[in-house]
Amino acid sequence: MIPLSVYLFLLIELVAVAYIDILSKKIPNVWSILNLAFFVLFIFLMPEEYQLRLTTFFYSLSFLFVGFVLYLLKIMGPGDSKFLFSFYLLVPASIHEKVFLCLIYATILIGSFFFIRTIIRNLDKMKQALILKNATLLRKAFGKKFAYAPVMLVSWIWFGIQNKELLALK
């Protein structure tokens, strides 16, 4: 279960962060710090949903590790992985897997759309890069990272729609 108030708080936060991420392609650290502070607060206010257990940190730490690797590969920005890490601390551990599945589906769906759109828009550049065997030119044709917070927002809405029964009035 997730308190409806927490779901709505995270929804509003994701709207704000997604907007900032789209505009600036960066997520300020203040959002991650805010989430960490709320996590500590939630431990005291809602101990039945938020506890200091290893399972609470499994997904968060996994996102931090994977995000760091994706950052090194220049696929994901550091703000995205830090925000995803801290965001997952505010999701009760009992529903981590359900939220994660929605995130995976949204990432595949939206990522595929942008990937196909990029290929269609840059087909000539890609052909030229392949003919010239120029990996740098090919990489430039694919462009830069896209904002990930909007993907998180879509997945959060998707989770809420699919799992209305898990939203508890509190």
Side-chain angles (χ1 to χ4, degrees), residues 2 6 9-10 13 34-40 42 50 60 85-92 96 156:
I2 181 170
V6 173
F9 168 75
L10 291 175
E13 179 184 66
L34 178 71
N35 285 346
L36 291 172
F38 271 101
F39 174 66
V40 171
F42 287 175
Y50 298 94
S60 290
F85 158 78
S86 67
F87 178 84
Y88 248 79
L89 290 176
L90 299 182
V91 174
H96 276 176
W156 191 244

Side-chain angles (χ1 to χ4, degrees), residues 58-112:
F58 176 76
Y59 279 91
S60 290
L61 291 173
S62 298
F63 284 128
L64 198 59
F65 175 75
V66 171
F68 181 70
V69 171
L70 293 175
Y71 167 72
L72 292 175
L73 296 172
K74 299 185 188 225
I75 294 172
M76 181 179 257
D80 294 317
S81 59
K82 288 183 283 188
F83 180 71
L84 192 53
F85 158 78
S86 67
F87 178 84
Y88 248 79
L89 290 176
L90 299 182
V91 174
S94 61
I95 60 171
H96 276 176
E97 188 173 341
K98 288 179 184 285
V99 174
F100 178 68
L101 287 174
C102 290
L103 183 62
I104 290 291
Y105 296 146
T107 301
I108 291 169
L109 183 70
I110 295 168
S112 297

